[in-house]
Amino acid sequence: MHTRHSEELQEFESLQEKDYLLLLGDDDDILSVEVQAVRVPVKGVRNGYVPDVLVHYRKELGRPSELTEVKTRADFEANKEKYAPKFRAAEAYCAERGWIFIKKSNEDFPQQRLKNIKWLRGYLRHPPDVAASSRLLVWLAEQGESSTVGKLLGAHADDDGEMLRHFWTCVAHRRILLDLDAPMEHDAWIIPGTAP
């Protein structure tokens, strides 16, 4: 899977890891994401321990890098004793580098955001149409730089569904921004995003 924060194809071993990578791909605070990038030495474990994801944040944020293990909550609980030496070793490894070690389960993920990101991925296959996105952004600017999905779509004739496709393509490519933590409905507020 490709993300904005890596030039390489990111592989994953579970659906939980895939979902976590999807969420990370939408985070502007992230500088880079690496999958299984670190081997932590663990006493008594010949090959050590390889956590799932290493996240580096933009330096100006002063936020430490995160070495992350992603599993279901049930797996963490059922295998607590088995994982304990590996997790202690990972915590020490991270402390030496000024990083933090965290455990994430799919139950911790913001479900509405994840649902919206997954849905928008279908619109990333093609770049936004320049003329259509310009029309939408000019209209949005005329509204005082914010409006709602319903008002924008209502202001543009769309007999064949093309304008709707152009709109969601602009959202997927961040030309138009909306709150991904809320349902993407007609009353959702939108603002102009990044320039093409």
Side-chain angles (χ1 to χ4, degrees), residues 46-158:
R46 187 167 47 112
N47 293 323
Y49 162 52
V50 181
D52 297 316
V53 181
L54 176 59
V55 179
H56 295 290
Y57 292 91
R58 292 184 1 243
K59 299 260 187 246
E60 65 269 19
L61 299 174
R63 189 170 170 185
S65 296
E66 295 176 352
L67 189 58
T68 310
E69 182 65 33
V70 182
K71 298 197 177 307
T72 63
R73 195 171 288 155
D75 187 11
F76 279 132
E77 190 59 37
N79 295 293
K80 188 184 333 185
E81 290 180 28
K82 174 183 157 187
Y83 295 148
K86 294 177 180 181
F87 293 170
R88 279 194 303 273
E91 288 168 354
Y93 183 91
C94 288
E96 292 170 1
R97 289 157 179 77
W99 301 350
I100 59 173
F101 176 70
I102 60 173
K103 297 174 286 205
K104 290 274 188 180
S105 72
N106 56 329
E107 294 91 350
D108 298 326
F109 300 158
Q111 294 303 310
Q112 185 65 55
R113 174 174 282 272
L114 184 58
K115 176 182 175 184
N116 291 343
I117 290 170
K118 285 180 175 182
W119 189 80
L120 286 169
R121 282 181 62 79
Y123 291 93
L124 286 172
R125 291 187 186 100
H126 305 287
D129 177 87
V130 174
S133 63
S134 293
R135 264 195 327 272
L136 294 174
L137 288 168
V138 165
W139 181 89
L140 192 52
E142 290 170 354
Q143 307 310 302
E145 299 276 318
S146 70
S147 188
T148 65
V149 172
K151 287 180 183 174
L152 181 139
L153 294 176
H156 296 83
D158 192 24

